[in-house]
Amino acid sequence: MENNNAPKHLYFYSVGLSYKKADAEVRGKFSLDAVAKTRLLEQAKTEGIESLIVTSTCNRTEIYGFAEHPFQLIKLICDNSNGSVDAFQKVGFVYKNQEAINHLFRVGTGLDSQILGDFEIISQIKTSFIHSKSMGLANTFMERLVNAVIQASKKIKNETEISSGATSVSFASVQYIIKNVEDIGNKNILLFGTGKIGRNTCENLVKHTKNEHITLINRTKDKAEKLAGKLNLIVKDYSELHLELQKADVVVVATGAQNPTVDKAILNLKKPLLILDLSIPKNVHENVEELEGVTLIHMDYLSQLTDETLENRKLHIPAAEAIIEEIKEEFVTWTKGRKFAPTINALKEKLNAIKVSELDFQSRKIADFNEAQAEIISNRIIQKITTHFANHLKDDDTMVDESIEWIEKVFKIKAS
């Protein structure tokens, strides 16, 4: 007879898209700001998803979580962004179970970053987990997995040189400016947006250009003033953006806005202008290139600029992968034990029930029956039997799910 109340079979998935197949414009459509992430998590709870985390950076938008089918997670991304299922199918990926675990390890340790060894993503994963946990959407498996990835990330950072040297989008942007703008120390530089990339770029500009004509503008002025105070820079109101754009020789845009904030309509130029757009979604409209003298560079182009530092980092990939394998193996061993432990416990209870029944029967049937000795012997037999089953389930060649199903069927038990 079919059991309509059978528990749902959930799989661990990683679904999303990244710089590998999706360009900046497509990534922009699927990007999720803080409000959208919260909305996504609330929808997940409503739809019965028990555990997931979501990350959305300039390079990727991804969900790691449990579902019966990956479309449940793809739908969450599409419902809460400007992306469509059709667009996702063209550039997105789906990893299941072990492949999904492998992917999270590579992402969290910088091996899957657009610039190799960029460890900024691990802080995003930590924040995402804390957010999910606060909403009751992080189970024990997820917590253990995220902690294992954090452990691997720290160990790789401390024990290899995969993140050595100054290489990031913000550093690459400053190097591009230095190489392509003459007399950069005396040029007017405008930085619009003081998020993480904006702050890093600003610090690199000050350090490497020795320029004293850097102006900061941010929608929230006090954030710009806080950064400017550290670096002794000029701050202007957001309302003065169009005026400052006319004065600038170089503009770096690094805002978190969902739509373009700079277009040709607000540019009234009397000299050449280099614009670097380090935002996802893009914050500079491509129509600025219709104006004479304007050069527009996006972060995807900057990320392709390789140098000696990046080549040196590649030499440390095998060492990083060895660390990942070591920590991942510990995690997989834990998951296997966690998976079959309830079945072994249920088997032990079943055998104990058989023992109690049989000892009761024999004690009434046999004169001078030594119940204490029989108890010791039968307990040792039960221990040996359950140990045999446990060792079988621990074996790397064992199909754990199938074996658990077989044990439960033969002994007519159901693990809690």
Side-chain angles (χ1 to χ4, degrees), residues 151-251:
Q151 183 188 352
S153 177
K154 283 180 181 174
K155 196 166 184 182
I156 288 170
K157 199 169 187 179
N158 292 334
E159 296 183 14
T160 77
E161 294 180 32
I162 203 163
S163 61
S164 61
T167 304
S168 64
V169 169
S170 55
F171 182 74
S173 65
V174 173
Q175 292 302 301
Y176 181 88
I177 291 168
I178 291 170
K179 288 175 184 174
N180 291 276
V181 179
E182 289 183 16
D183 193 23
I184 187 60
N186 293 310
K187 299 293 185 182
N188 291 323
I189 301 175
L190 172 62
L191 178 69
F192 178 33
T194 56
K196 192 161 190 177
I197 289 180
R199 292 196 304 272
N200 290 345
T201 303
C202 193
E203 289 167 1
N204 278 318
L205 281 168
V206 171
K207 181 178 179 181
H208 297 287
T209 66
K210 310 299 182 189
N211 189 301
E212 296 180 359
H213 311 279
I214 300 174
T215 300
L216 303 183
I217 293 180
N218 195 61
R219 287 177 186 273
T220 312
K221 191 177 181 182
D222 60 344
K223 287 185 180 179
E225 287 174 336
K226 192 174 179 181
L227 178 61
K230 291 180 186 175
L231 302 172
N232 195 27
L233 305 175
I234 304 161
V235 175
K236 296 284 186 176
D237 286 322
Y238 176 61
S239 60
E240 297 180 72
L241 175 63
H242 65 294
L243 295 174
E244 293 303 317
L245 285 168
Q246 319 316 320
K247 299 177 189 175
D249 299 293
V250 177
V251 176

Side-chain angles (χ1 to χ4, degrees), residues 21 49 61 74 98 102 104 148 192 260 269 362 406 409:
K21 287 183 72 176
I49 303 291
T61 294
I74 295 168
Q98 192 56 52
N102 294 346
L104 181 54
F192 178 33
L269 305 180
Q362 297 298 341
W406 178 83
K409 189 179 288 185

Side-chain angles (χ1 to χ4, degrees), residues 266-295:
I266 64 170
L267 296 180
N268 180 23
L269 305 180
K270 297 178 176 61
K271 57 182 177 178
L273 177 64
L274 170 63
I275 304 176
L276 279 71
D277 187 359
L278 309 185
S279 313
I280 293 289
K282 290 180 179 179
N283 272 203
V284 181
H285 199 291
E286 290 179 0
N287 64 16
V288 300
E289 294 184 283
E290 296 170 14
L291 299 173
E292 188 178 349
V294 172
T295 302

Side-chain angles (χ1 to χ4, degrees), residues 366-408:
I366 301 172
D368 301 325
F369 179 70
N370 191 326
E371 193 167 344
Q373 284 186 344
E375 180 84 22
I376 292 169
I377 294 167
S378 53
N379 283 345
R380 283 180 62 82
I381 291 170
I382 289 171
Q383 185 61 42
K384 287 180 183 296
I385 291 170
T386 52
T387 299
H388 271 288
F389 278 107
N391 288 338
H392 165 73
L393 292 168
K394 286 178 185 175
D395 195 290
D396 288 340
D397 295 328
T398 297
M399 302 290 284
V400 177
D401 289 334
E402 289 180 11
S403 291
I404 286 173
E405 187 179 347
W406 178 83
I407 293 167
E408 291 179 355

